[in-house]
Structures are given as C-alpha cells and as structure tokens.
Amino acid sequence: LMSRSPYNDGFTLVEVLTALAILGLSLFVLLNGHLNAMTLQETIYQVTTQRQLLEAAVGKAEVEVLLGSTSGGGDFGERYPDFSWSFEATSQSDYEEVKYYRVTVTLFDELSEEAPETITFLYYNNNPDFDEGGMFSGSGTQ
C-alpha cells in the first residue's frame, strides 16, 4: 500500500488563484449587467414621464383651442416642478367661420440639456359655441 502525503489533501495555490480569477470575472460581468439594467430603467422612466406629461399638455391645449385661445401654457404642479408646457395654435383656414388649427405643444424640462419635446397636430373645432354653458374656464390668450 502506498502512503499518502499529508500535503496532497488541499488545493494548490494555482487552483485557488484560478478560482478567485473566475469568481472576480463573473462578479464584474454580473455587476456590469445590473448597472446597465438600472440605467435602462431610469431612462425608460424619464421617457415615459415626458411622454405622459406631453400627452396631458396636448389634452389641455385641445381644450384651450376649443375655448378660443391661440396660445397658452402652464406647469404640472408640485409633483413635476421641473416641467412646464406651452402651445401655439395657428389658423389653417382662409375663412373665419371654419375653426381649423395647427397646434404645436412644447414640453420643457428644466433639468434636461436636450431640446424640448414637441408635438404638432391639426385640430378642427366643429362646435364654435361649445362654451355657452360655461363648462370650462381657460387660461390661454386670444
């Protein structure tokens, strides 16, 4: 029978260093993937918030144009203090009786260095006497 040496029972230094290198590389890859996922989530949150605020501003601009305003704007209150919006409506008709407008809504983000988000749409008001009952009050200007 062969006797075993007490020094052959453990891992060698090369094996331990190889295992640590593999573990370190794996940890780097996993942390890099996690950082990329967090960055992507933040970007998606910002883009979604901007899109929702722009759509809300479009709705408000439609009401303002319906009430006869050709420009105006506002903010989104305390929840979104860094955002504001404005709109401009220009008549696309040669006849005053036809209420057909090109409306441009702009969303401003004070924290962003990028250009403001804008959306342009055509709006036709087929009921110029809509506010006779006083349902709405506008904040735009004529």
Side-chain angles (χ1 to χ4, degrees), residues 57-138:
V58 164
K60 291 178 181 183
E62 286 178 347
V63 171
E64 293 292 332
V65 172
L66 181 65
L67 297 173
S69 298
T70 57
S71 65
D75 59 22
F76 296 96
E78 293 179 13
R79 185 166 182 189
Y80 300 102
D82 301 321
F83 290 94
S84 60
W85 64 279
S86 68
F87 80 93
E88 294 289 327
T90 56
S91 179
Q92 300 295 297
S93 173
D94 294 333
Y95 305 101
E96 188 172 318
E97 302 84 29
V98 178
K99 307 291 186 184
Y100 184 60
Y101 299 95
R102 176 180 301 277
V103 182
T104 301
V105 178
T106 305
L107 177 70
F108 301 99
D109 180 358
E110 294 178 15
L111 298 179
S112 177
E113 296 177 4
E114 296 180 14
E117 294 283 330
T118 62
I119 190 167
T120 301
F121 60 95
L122 297 174
Y123 181 77
Y124 176 67
N125 180 3
N126 62 353
N127 188 2
D129 298 326
F130 178 75
D131 197 38
E132 284 184 5
M135 293 173 54
F136 295 98
S137 62

Side-chain angles (χ1 to χ4, degrees), residues 11-12 15 22 35 37 42 49 53 63 72 79 100 107 128 134 142:
F11 294 107
T12 65
E15 290 171 330
I22 291 171
L35 178 64
E42 181 64 27
T49 299
L53 292 177
V63 171
R79 185 166 182 189
Y100 184 60
L107 177 70
Q142 291 186 6

Side-chain angles (χ1 to χ4, degrees), residues 17-37:
L17 290 177
T18 302
L20 286 174
I22 291 171
L23 182 64
L25 183 61
S26 300
L27 187 61
F28 174 75
V29 168
L30 290 173
L31 287 176
N32 190 31
H34 183 68
L35 178 64
N36 287 341

Side-chain angles (χ1 to χ4, degrees), residues 37-71:
M38 288 175 45
T39 303
L40 182 61
Q41 189 272 340
E42 181 64 27
T43 302
I44 289 171
Y45 176 78
Q46 290 173 353
V47 167
T48 302
T49 299
Q50 288 177 346
R51 177 51 81 181
Q52 289 175 339
L53 292 177
L54 185 59
E55 289 176 4
V58 164
K60 291 178 181 183
E62 286 178 347
V63 171
E64 293 292 332
V65 172
L66 181 65
L67 297 173
S69 298
T70 57
S71 65

